Amino acid sequence: MKFRNILTLCLAGVSMGAFAQTHVQGEEYFKADQFENAKDLLTRSLNNAGTDKSVSDYYLGMIAINENNTAEASKYFDAGVAANAQNPYNYVGQGLVKLMAGDQKGAEELFKQAEKLTKKDASLDIAIARAYDRVDPTRYEKQINKKVDNARKHNMQSPEIYIFEGDQAREIKDWGKAAGMYEMAKGYDPNATAAYVKYANLYTMVNPDYAIKMLNELLSVNPQSALGQRELANAYYNKKDYAKAATQYGAYVQNPSHFKSDENRYAFLLFYGQDYKKGYDYATKLLQEDPKNFTAQRYQFMNACQLPEMKDQLLPMAEALYAAHMKDAKNNKFAPIDFTLISSELSGAKRTDEAISVLQEGIKENPEFADFNKSLAFAYLDQNNLTKTADEYSVYLSKIEPGFNDYKQQGIFDFYAAVENKADAALVKKYLDAAKACADKASELNPDSYWPSKMYGDIAKQTAANEDAATSAAVADYEKAIGLLEASANPMAYKSDAKTMYMYLGNYYAGQKNTAKEKEYFQKALQYDPNNESLRKYVESL
């Protein structure tokens, strides 16, 4: 079994009952296998008045073993013995070091020495069982089973027994048995924090509501548990309930045992929970405490972007944030939203070249994020560079599964790129062929849409041999398109396209001396442009 199981030791019994509470929160993280967080808290409280260093030394020694640093672990265990020779667990730690070095006899002498210090202590039995289990669960199966049996004889209701057996089941992915063991552990001891957390972690991704229920149960018996508060906030986050996650993190960051890094996450959650004013104020507070807090700077800007009253301050904030990122991109990391919001502010300030540079940097750092290419295409559109618009939008389509509207937009961009390059026959053909291919794809996805037929007509006009041929080239396609448009649920939503096609057909039939058709189509065009008085007078004259 992997080492994580040995580190879930719950120190209980007479030998541990009188120890100071200054390190309790660190112990909780340790027992829940969150060793980095445990190390932070234990180190933070190591020199506090009232801290029993022998307890903290034991945990820190076990964490050092988890980090594969047995030399440092030995120093902590030795210091723990020196601080309090009556604490049996540091002898277990020393024994583990010897067992890992292959000195079984030396290890067992230390285990026996520990057992002499506290009689019939189930938690100590399990600590020794975990030591054997850590080194070689197969080779030491007999010793492990004996220690577990002893633990049951000494205290059948000790939660450490069932947490250990739950860890064993979890290790072989027997989730049902693991859940049952953790359930028994908390049933025997409602204060066994690790049992609740490990139980909840089995469900947090597959059944977050059950994990939330379990963690709320933990907080009902131990409301000051920083671990419980943090895990509940994370459970809401995994459920994508960002508002509740933010509320819970708000309670957690008031706990003296919270981590500074979680303050930044609170600002993040306030943003995704759409509590933008509170998120802005909190990030601003963090920046006041530490002006170099780049993460707080990011969330201050992200939240500010959602507040109308902040609009006049956004541009300098965007400039400062981007400058900080570019100065040290390795440490001052961006997420895609940062590039998006900053480029948007620059575009709004008519600084399109700079917006494009930001988006290009975003693509460089996040090449698979398709929306950068989409935004870049529209930035080129702002510059009236239709060729680059079409090319960049094409890259966007290559990164997604395009739908009807995607092909329609690409087709329009390709068509106008062809018009822009009218002096280059090869480019005209390239972009018109691309526009037709988009119309074909769009037609497959939505056979009832008028747009593909309109595009075919537009292309036919562009490829006509001369201006006279262009006056009739689109007739069949436009008449088909109009039929589909008029059959749609809301033809007026496309009045610009409708008017264009009706005017073209009206002019065509005027040239054919077909007054009835001419009048019919111009009357239809007038319906889509009722304020066109010159057209109205012309129709009345027919």
Side-chain angles (χ1 to χ4, degrees):
M1 183 179 295
K2 295 178 182 177
F3 179 66
R4 61 185 180 187
N5 292 332
I6 193 169
L7 294 181
T8 57
L9 172 65
C10 293
L11 298 181
V14 176
S15 62
M16 308 305 287
F19 290 153
Q21 297 300 301
T22 55
H23 47 259
V24 167
Q25 300 284 8
E27 293 177 19
E28 286 192 353
Y29 278 96
F30 178 87
K31 298 168 189 176
D33 300 342
Q34 298 187 25
F35 310 124
E36 185 176 342
N37 290 336
K39 185 175 183 178
D40 181 316
L41 290 172
L42 291 164
T43 304
R44 194 191 304 178
S45 65
L46 188 60
N47 295 314
N48 287 356
T51 292
D52 189 316
K53 291 188 177 181
S54 71
V55 176
S56 293
D57 283 334
Y58 169 74
Y59 287 118
L60 290 168
M62 299 299 275
I63 292 169
I65 285 181
N66 185 53
E67 296 170 346
N68 296 314
N69 191 340
T70 54
E72 183 177 354
S74 291
K75 289 180 182 179
Y76 277 120
F77 296 139
D78 293 346
V81 170
N84 182 0
Q86 298 305 305
N87 180 349
Y89 292 91
N90 283 301
Y91 298 105
V92 175
Q94 290 176 332
L96 172 58
V97 172
K98 286 189 176 293
L99 198 64
M100 292 173 68
D103 184 359
Q104 181 179 348
K105 182 178 179 181
E108 291 180 345
E109 288 176 357
L110 285 162
F111 295 157
K112 289 176 182 178
Q113 187 173 351
E115 289 173 320
K116 290 177 182 178
L117 295 172
T118 176
K119 301 296 184 181
K120 298 181 180 181
D121 188 337
S123 65
L124 186 65
D125 295 322
I126 295 302
I128 297 171
R130 287 181 179 277
Y132 284 117
D133 187 79
R134 161 64 177 86
V135 177
D136 192 331
T138 302
R139 178 180 176 183
Y140 296 115
E141 181 179 6
K142 179 179 177 181
Q143 288 87 344
I144 294 168
N145 292 337
K146 180 179 178 180
K147 292 303 174 184
V148 172
D149 289 343
N150 286 344
R152 281 193 164 86
K153 291 175 185 178
H154 294 152
N155 183 1
M156 183 73 176
Q157 296 184 1
S158 173
E160 287 84 354
I161 299 169
Y162 306 102
I163 293 175
F164 176 52
E165 292 181 333
D167 292 345
Q168 288 180 308
R170 183 185 62 183
E171 188 67 25
I172 60 173
K173 297 182 172 54
D174 187 344
W175 313 121
K177 182 177 179 181
M181 292 298 103
Y182 297 143
E183 175 76 28
M184 290 180 69
K186 74 181 188 65
Y188 283 128
D189 182 1
N191 292 303
T193 301
Y196 293 93
V197 172
K198 290 186 174 187
Y199 198 178
N201 285 342
L202 294 176
Y203 291 93
T204 189
M205 299 307 296
V206 296
N207 189 348
D209 286 329
Y210 191 76
I212 288 166
K213 175 179 178 294
M214 189 62 50
L215 293 164
N216 274 315
E217 185 179 333
L218 163 62
L219 291 175
S220 72
V221 297
N222 187 0
Q224 297 306 312
S225 170
L227 172 61
Q229 293 169 345
R230 189 173 190 265
E231 289 293 305
L232 180 57
N234 287 334
Y236 282 126
Y237 178 80
N238 289 334
K239 190 184 175 184
K240 294 182 171 56
D241 190 339
Y242 300 124
K244 285 187 178 179
T247 298
Q248 185 58 38
Y249 254 100
Y252 159 68
V253 295
Q254 301 304 314
N255 193 310
S257 294
H258 76 273
F259 303 107
K260 292 295 290 182
S261 60
D262 287 326
E263 294 177 353
N264 293 333
R265 191 170 197 188
Y266 179 42
F268 160 83
L269 286 169
L270 287 169
F271 174 78
Y272 281 97
Q274 300 182 22
D275 198 345
Y276 304 123
K277 182 62 169 62
K278 192 171 183 179
Y280 171 78
D281 290 342
Y282 189 75
T284 300
K285 180 181 80 71
L286 295 181
L287 271 175
Q288 290 170 345
E289 294 171 358
D290 178 10
K292 295 181 180 180
N293 187 335
F294 177 74
T295 303
Q297 185 181 6
R298 289 181 58 223
Y299 294 137
Q300 183 195 52
F301 176 64
M302 288 164 59
N303 281 288
C305 285
Q306 314 307 315
L307 300 172
E309 64 270 25
M310 294 295 299
K311 64 179 182 179
D312 294 335
Q313 299 179 50
L314 293 178
L315 185 57
M317 291 172 70
E319 292 172 326
L321 183 61
Y322 190 63
H325 170 71
M326 294 303 291
K327 184 178 180 180
D328 187 2
K330 181 179 179 180
N331 292 309
N332 294 343
K333 293 182 179 179
F334 267 180
I337 189 173
D338 298 290
F339 293 104
T340 300
L341 292 174
I342 291 170
S343 65
S344 177
E345 287 305 312
L346 291 168
S347 292
K350 308 301 181 184
R351 292 161 58 177
T352 307
D353 286 345
E354 292 171 80
I356 288 172
S357 294
V358 170
L359 290 168
Q360 288 172 333
E361 180 65 22
I363 293 169
K364 177 182 174 182
E365 295 183 24
N366 304 269
E368 300 306 315
F369 190 72
D371 280 356
F372 285 154
N373 301 98
K374 183 178 182 180
S375 297
L376 188 54
F378 283 100
Y380 286 132
L381 185 63
D382 288 343
Q383 293 183 326
N384 293 315
N385 191 330
L386 298 171
T387 301
K388 283 190 174 181
T389 298
D391 291 346
E392 200 61 46
Y393 205 83
S394 179
V395 176
Y396 165 66
L397 258 60
S398 72
K399 295 180 179 181
I400 66 170
E401 293 184 11
F404 173 84
N405 289 330
D406 299 311
Y407 285 118
K408 179 180 178 182
Q409 186 68 81
Q410 181 68 59
I412 293 170
F413 287 154
D414 286 330
F415 178 81
Y416 285 107
V419 174
E420 185 175 71
N421 289 280
K422 60 185 178 181
D424 188 325
L427 286 178
V428 169
K429 183 178 187 308
K430 169 189 170 181
Y431 286 111
L432 289 181
D433 285 349
K436 182 180 182 304
C438 286
D440 291 343
K441 289 286 187 180
S443 181
E444 291 174 11
L445 291 170
N446 186 0
D448 296 328
S449 172
Y450 79 92
W451 179 80
S453 293
K454 179 185 180 297
M455 178 54 69
Y456 296 145
D458 292 345
I459 293 170
K461 286 193 296 181
Q462 286 295 317
T463 55
N466 50 54
E467 288 187 12
D468 287 341
T471 61
S472 61
V475 170
D477 290 316
Y478 278 3
E479 288 187 328
K480 181 179 178 180
I482 281 172
L484 291 168
L485 177 63
E486 295 295 347
S488 67
N490 184 17
M492 290 302 292
Y494 311 100
K495 58 184 180 181
S496 177
D497 282 351
K499 179 190 171 184
T500 296
M501 291 188 289
Y502 280 124
M503 290 296 292
Y504 176 88
L505 291 169
N507 284 318
Y508 168 73
Y509 283 109
Q512 297 296 308
K513 309 300 184 183
N514 187 333
T515 305
K517 280 284 190 179
E518 176 189 6
K519 185 174 183 179
E520 175 190 350
Y521 284 123
F522 281 143
Q523 283 178 328
K524 287 283 190 180
L526 191 59
Q527 290 179 11
Y528 289 93
D529 188 13
N531 296 321
N532 191 330
E533 289 302 318
S534 61
L535 178 60
R536 184 183 301 280
K537 289 178 181 179
Y538 181 75
V539 170
E540 290 172 351
S541 71
L542 292 173

